[in-house]
Amino acid sequence: MKCELCQQKDAETAIQLEKDGEEQELYVCRECANRERVRRQKKSQRTRKGAGEMPPGVSISVSGVSSGDEPPPIVAAIMNAVSGLVEGLEQAAEEAGKAKKKPELADFPCERAEAAYRIGDRLHLEGLHLIGELEPVHRAMKALRLELVGVDADGVRNAGHVYRLRYSGSAELPKRVVEDILREERNARVRLFEEMPRVFGDSLCRSLAILKNCRLLSPGELFDLLSPLRLAAIEKMLDGITLGEIEKMLASIDLSSKEDGESQQERDRIDAERADEMNRRFEDVVLNERAEEKFL
C-alpha cells in the first residue's frame, strides 16, 4: 500500500499521529516517518511562539544529580588503587620533614588518553558530573595531594567539565590516578545510558532547548551546553549534527573570558550574534530514534 501521508512512496512503517483530536495509526514511508518525528520533537522542545522571545533574564542551567548521602565507591576505588604509592610518599615526607612552602605543580600530559574521554589536552568528565560523583573525586585528589583544575569562563564554573590534572614530584602517581579516573568516567557513561536515562535525557533536552532558543550566549555557556551533546554524539543519538561538528565547535571556543574587557553593550551584541547563530544551527538538531527509545 501507498504511504498515507505523501501518497507516493510505499508504506514501510506505522506511526501514531493525532488527527482531528484523536490518535490514529497511519502506515507511512520511512521519509514521512522521520519527518513526523522531527516535527514532533521540534514542537515539544519549542519554548516560544513564532518570532517571540524568552523573557529578559531567563536562563537555564544543566546540572548533575547526587545519588544520596553515602559517599560513592569511586573515592575508595581511586584511593585503594594508589594506596601503596601514597604510603610511600607519606613516609618519604615524614623522613624529609614537612615542607613549609607549597610545592609547584605541573600539568600531567593527557594527550594520550582515549579521544572519547578528553577534549584537547583536558580530561572530559561529563559523565561523572551528571551522576553526581565529581565532588568525591575532587576530595580524593586533595587527599592524594593532586589537583583537578577546571576552566572558569564567563561566569561559568568548570565549563564543560573538562580538567587538567596537576601534580608535584614523580609522574607515577598521577599516571595511575588518570587511568582510574578514566575507568570511572567510562563506568559513569554506561550508568547514564543503562541505569539513569532520565538524567542523561534531561541534560540533552535542556541543552538543545537552550541552543535553539537562547537570546544571549557567552563562550563559556556555549562550551558547557555542548559538553553533554558530545556524549550523545559519541553514542550516535543525534540527528542533524555530527560528532566531528560538535568537536570542531568546542575547539573553536575561546575560554579566556577576553570579552570581559568589552563594554556591557558590546558584550550583549556579541552574545546576541552568537545566540542567533546557534539558534539557526540547532534548529533541526533532534534526538534520533535510538535516543527516543531511551529517553522519551
Side-chain angles (χ1 to χ4, degrees):
M1 62 179 293
K2 291 294 183 182
C3 171
E4 293 185 74
L5 289 179
C6 68
Q7 303 296 330
Q8 295 179 4
K9 298 181 179 179
D10 291 338
E12 300 176 77
T13 186
I15 63 172
Q16 296 294 323
L17 185 67
E18 186 174 331
K19 196 171 182 180
D20 298 327
E22 297 182 358
E23 284 283 339
Q24 297 184 13
E25 184 175 72
L26 301 180
Y27 294 92
V28 300
C29 64
R30 185 66 58 184
E31 183 177 335
C32 286
N34 289 336
R35 188 181 300 113
E36 174 59 25
R37 176 171 53 82
V38 170
R39 185 199 65 79
R40 186 175 67 252
Q41 283 197 35
K42 288 175 69 175
K43 182 178 179 181
S44 68
Q45 294 167 358
R46 189 174 64 224
T47 61
R48 67 182 190 269
K49 183 177 180 181
E53 300 179 353
M54 294 176 70
V58 172
S59 62
I60 308 173
S61 62
V62 181
S63 59
V65 175
S66 175
S67 56
D69 295 330
E70 288 296 321
I74 183 172
V75 178
I78 294 177
M79 296 293 287
N80 291 337
V82 296
S83 60
L85 287 171
V86 174
E87 290 172 2
L89 289 172
E90 290 178 344
Q91 183 177 356
E94 289 177 2
E95 293 174 356
K98 292 184 178 180
K100 295 182 179 180
K101 185 178 180 181
K102 184 178 179 180
E104 292 187 6
L105 301 178
D107 290 336
F108 183 79
C110 297
E111 291 86 348
R112 293 186 180 180
E114 189 176 343
Y117 302 101
R118 62 178 172 81
I119 295 178
D121 58 354
R122 295 183 175 99
L123 303 177
H124 187 206
L125 306 182
E126 184 69 25
L128 286 169
H129 162 66
L130 288 174
I131 68 172
E133 291 190 355
L134 255 185
E135 185 57 36
V137 172
H138 281 291
R139 293 199 298 268
M141 295 303 99
K142 185 176 182 180
L144 295 171
R145 300 190 179 98
L146 302 172
E147 289 184 5
L148 272 181
V149 182
V151 180
D152 295 344
D154 307 301
V156 180
R157 287 190 54 80
N158 297 321
H161 305 102
V162 294
Y163 298 89
R164 286 194 173 99
L165 182 66
R166 309 203 73 201
Y167 74 104
S168 63
S170 170
E172 185 177 0
L173 174 60
K175 180 177 182 294
R176 292 182 61 178
V177 167
V178 166
E179 293 173 353
D180 293 332
I181 290 175
L182 293 184
R183 182 189 66 245
E184 296 303 327
E185 172 65 17
R186 187 178 301 111
N187 293 339
R189 295 185 186 185
V190 172
R191 282 189 61 193
L192 276 175
F193 188 72
E194 298 295 339
E195 302 173 23
M196 306 169 70
R198 193 77 171 188
V199 174
F200 195 10
D202 180 71
S203 69
L204 301 182
C205 291
R206 285 176 183 266
S207 292
L208 280 174
I210 296 172
L211 290 167
K212 290 170 184 283
N213 296 286
C214 60
R215 312 312 298 143
L216 295 170
L217 186 64
S218 71
E221 291 173 315
L222 175 57
F223 194 86
D224 200 54
L225 292 169
L226 291 174
S227 179
L229 294 183
R230 180 176 185 262
L231 266 59
I234 290 173
E235 294 292 337
K236 297 179 173 58
M237 292 181 170
L238 299 177
D239 278 348
I241 197 168
T242 65
L243 173 61
E245 289 176 284
I246 290 177
E247 293 189 328
K248 187 176 180 180
M249 287 183 186
L250 287 165
S252 69
I253 297 173
D254 185 348
L255 296 175
S256 65
S257 298
K258 67 178 183 180
E259 294 174 10
D260 287 353
E262 303 288 348
S263 67
Q264 186 63 53
Q265 184 177 5
E266 180 63 12
R267 287 173 61 186
D268 286 348
R269 184 191 66 80
I270 297 172
D271 287 354
E273 290 181 354
R274 184 181 297 111
D276 291 343
E277 180 185 354
M278 291 301 106
N279 290 170
R280 291 189 296 269
R281 179 61 192 87
F282 283 88
E283 180 181 5
D284 292 321
V285 177
V286 295
L287 304 181
N288 62 19
E289 291 180 353
R290 182 166 184 257
E292 282 191 334
E293 292 174 359
K294 279 286 182 181
F295 305 142
L296 302 181

